[in-house]
């Protein structure tokens, strides 16, 4: 079984790109009444190829801004973004976006298109005929666990969790090697959320792609991330490392506080049957730590 | 009451039906004016409204146009244009087009403006070019508003096209002015009936159109 998966992985994964932010600054211009906002300031950060890297930070810390510079939905004020050592400023923005999957908080589906057509959006933009694009869309519905019966529904006729799955399927339809996810599961209940998180882990493993995942939920970050980047205000990197590194050696009070280590939340690790569990102060497991040994 | 009966009798009289000054001719002229004027307004108003809605530039034009339209005395515009172009169909058509333009412009613009920003953002982030965004997302989603704009424009034009006869252009207004001159009230009333009938027919057409567009959008209204 394991051999099967890694064979599939090798087959599906010709190459997953790395992403690098270099001295990235983004200032949103102010208006006549409001001042300009420095959203991120001088951020330098590397996202390893094939990793699931999580950007975590409180609201307004610049996570979305940082993420959106990667598909050029946000243009940096200064600094640059490299995908595999290529400065993306030199690429065609429209073509670039078609090679990068993007999942947003509010699913952002097209309300006038059926689920199946939403999923097929990018292949259709790339000129794939309707029939093969739909065939591919059905494959993706299987991949993200959506019943084929839902194919003909409009987004408004789907539950929040189903919409998110359609959003994930759409982002994957053109087989991107890089996937950006911006708090994709914020709007769904904890059970569906856990389910979708498992799904993301599995997809990342199965497809062997690079995922850059944004959340403000530290538990989600610990559950998902190979690498976790804790952002303070204006995208300042408070600490980066594996979940275990953060929990065992928080860089400063800010990180410790963010992890809930000193706030009475008392998160800590426990080794159970070779699985690293994240426990809260009441010794209840709230998550399972992922890492290279998975 | 008597006038009503006489008006219907006037319409029913076969002698009033055909010929160069008959009901069919005048009705046809009226319809042609309406279609041409609304069509011209659409030709200018739709692309302009889409451009403003898509780029967000020139929004002041929408406010100005709709405001001006409400204040504009149609008869005045008609006379003014007729003064410049002389008597004929050119002046009334131009005046009616000017009258129809704001509604069409506002409808096209409002359709795009009403689309939630995240939907547009998402479409762009998937890799749609600006043109694809307009043609595959904004235009289809804005269709109900556009139909609404065309509908009020048409209605306005149908009602106002009676004034075309004032500058000698024919149409159903011809019966009105003729009736006024000869104090033939049944004929005037008959002309109004015919104009109302035309307006109702237009309404029905647009109701059907809106329904067809709405069916594709039924899922949207659930939200
Ligand atoms: N389009 C914009 N115009 C002006 N300011 C903006 C814009 N987008 C974001 N900002 C500002 O930039 C800062 C960073 O915003 P950003 O959306 O990147 O934060 P975030 O970490 O994603 O927050 P959240 O967790 O709430 O989504 C905030 O102060 C925000 O108000
Ligand atoms: Mg955000």
């Amino acid at each position: 079984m394991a051999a099967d998966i890694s064979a599939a992985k090798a087959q599906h994964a010709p190459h997953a790109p790395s992403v690098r932010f270099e001295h990235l600054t983004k200032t949103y211009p102010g208006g006549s009444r409001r001042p300009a906002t420095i959203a991120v300031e001088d951020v330098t950060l590397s996202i390893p190829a094939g990793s699931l890297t999580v950007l975590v930070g409180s609201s307004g810390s610049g996570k979305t801004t940082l993420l959106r510079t990667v598909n050029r939905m946000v243009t940096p004020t200064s600094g640059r973004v490299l995908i595999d050592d290529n400065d993306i400023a030199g690429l065609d923005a429209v073509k670039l976006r078609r090679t990068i999957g993007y999942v947003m908080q509010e699913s952002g589906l097209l309300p006038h298109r059926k689920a199946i057509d939403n999923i097929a959006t990018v292949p259709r933009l790339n000129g794939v005929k309707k029939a093969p694009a739909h065939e591919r869309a059905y494959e993706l519905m299987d991949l993200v666990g959506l019943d084929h019966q839902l194919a003909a529904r409009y987004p408004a006729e789907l539950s929040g969790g189903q919409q998110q799955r359609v959003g994930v399927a759409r982002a994957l339809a053109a087989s991107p090697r890089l996937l950006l996810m911006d708090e994709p599961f914020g709007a769904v209940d904890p059970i569906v959320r856990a389910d979708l998180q498992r799904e993301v882990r599995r997809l990342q493993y199965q497809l062997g792609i690079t995922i850059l995942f944004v959340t403000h939920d530290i538990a989600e970050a610990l559950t998902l991330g190979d690498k976790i980047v804790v952002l303070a205000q204006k995208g300042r990197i408070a600490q980066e490392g594996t979940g275990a590194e953060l929990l065992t050696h928080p860089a400063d009070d800010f990180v410790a506080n963010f992890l809930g280590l000193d706030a009475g939340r008392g998160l800590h690790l426990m080794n159970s049957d070779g699985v690293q569990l994240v426990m809260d102060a009441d010794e209840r497991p709230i998550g399972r730590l992922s890492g290279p040994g998975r | 009451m008597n006038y009503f009966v006489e008006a219907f009798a006037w319409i029913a009289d076969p002698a009033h039906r055909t010929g160069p000054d008959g009901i069919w001719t005048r009705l046809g002229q009226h319809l042609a004016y309406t279609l041409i004027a609304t069509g011209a307004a659409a030709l200018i108003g739709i692309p302009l409204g889409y451009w403003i809605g898509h780029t967000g530039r020139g929004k002041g034009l929408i406010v100005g146009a709709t405001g001006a339209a409400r204040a504009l005395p149609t008869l005045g515009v008609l006379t003014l244009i007729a003064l410049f172009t002389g008597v004929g169909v050119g002046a009334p058509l131009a005046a009616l087009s000017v009258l129809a333009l704001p509604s069409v412009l506002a409808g096209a613009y409002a359709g795009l403006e009403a689309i939630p920003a995240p939907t547009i953002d998402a479409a762009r982030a998937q890799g749609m070019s600006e043109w694809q965004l307009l043609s595959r997302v904004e235009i289809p989603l804005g269709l109900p508003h556009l139909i609404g704009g065309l509908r009020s424009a048409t209605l306005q034009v149908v009602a106002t096209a009676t004034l075309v006869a004032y500058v000698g252009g024919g149409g159903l207004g011809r019966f009105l002015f003729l009736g006024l001159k000869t104090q033939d009230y049944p004929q005037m009333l008959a002309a109004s009936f015919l104009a109302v009938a035309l307006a109702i027919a237009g309404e029905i057409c647009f109701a059907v159109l809106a329904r067809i567009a709405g069916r594709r959008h039924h899922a949207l209204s659930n939200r």
Side-chain angles (χ1 to χ4, degrees), chain A residues 18-219:
Chain A
S18 63
V19 178
R20 187 169 163 76
F21 301 93
E22 282 185 353
H23 300 292
L24 195 97
T25 295
K26 175 63 187 180
T27 307
Y28 290 106
S32 49
R33 293 211 187 136
R34 66 206 155 84
T37 313
I38 302 172
V40 296
E41 192 170 32
D42 196 26
V43 171
T44 297
L45 174 67
S46 288
I47 312 300
S51 71
L52 201 172
T53 299
V54 179
L55 300 181
V56 62
S58 46
S59 191
S61 53
K63 307 179 295 292
T64 297
T65 301
L66 214 48
L67 195 74
R68 284 164 65 88
T69 59
V70 179
N71 59 1
R72 294 204 28 200
M73 290 301 287
V74 167
T75 309
T77 309
S78 65
R80 45 186 207 156
V81 181
L82 308 172
I83 295 181
D84 275 344
D85 301 327
N86 297 314
D87 187 343
I88 62 166
L91 304 175
D92 179 272
V94 168
K95 282 188 194 143
L96 176 74
R97 288 173 193 149
R98 289 185 196 168
T99 66
I100 299 176
Y102 182 41
V103 188
M104 319 193 271
Q105 179 158 14
E106 293 297 330
S107 63
L109 300 176
L110 297 176
H112 61 304
R113 296 220 177 145
K114 293 171 181 160
I116 188 89
D117 294 312
N118 262 290
I119 297 171
T121 301
V122 184
R124 294 287 284 147
L125 289 175
N126 283 332
V128 177
K129 293 269 178 294
K130 195 162 186 171
H134 276 191
E135 207 171 295
R136 168 84 182 135
Y138 279 118
E139 281 173 34
L140 283 152
M141 290 184 82
D142 291 334
L143 195 68
V144 301
L146 276 172
D147 197 312
H148 285 200
Q149 280 181 330
L150 301 176
R153 297 235 192 131
Y154 288 93
E157 300 165 338
L158 298 171
S159 75
Q162 289 165 341
Q163 288 183 26
Q164 285 305 344
R165 285 175 200 266
V166 173
V168 174
R170 172 176 70 172
L172 293 171
S175 306
R177 310 309 313 153
L178 174 60
L179 185 61
L180 308 176
M181 306 183 88
D182 192 352
E183 303 198 29
F185 312 136
V188 296
D189 71 69
I191 293 172
V192 175
R193 187 175 196 166
D195 200 26
L196 287 165
Q197 286 171 348
R198 257 194 305 280
E199 213 74 24
V200 167
R201 270 256 66 112
R202 186 178 62 78
L203 284 174
Q204 197 258 345
Y205 184 68
Q206 196 175 328
L207 305 175
I209 58 182
T210 308
I211 299 182
L212 189 50
F213 192 105
V214 159
T215 180
H216 60 248
D217 179 356
I218 186 66

Side-chain angles (χ1 to χ4, degrees), chain B residues 30 33-34 37-38 41 65-72 74 95-106 148-164 195 198-199 202-203 206:
Chain B
H30 206 96
Y33 285 143
T34 304
T38 314
T66 44
R70 235 172 267 140
L72 222 57
T74 313
L96 291 175
S97 304
V98 169
L99 181 75
L101 186 60
S103 297
V104 178
L105 187 63
L150 286 171
R151 177 180 180 165
S152 48
T154 308
L155 215 65
Q156 257 172 307
V157 174
V158 167
T160 319
T162 44
L163 293 178
V164 172
L198 201 57
E203 279 291 274
F206 277 107

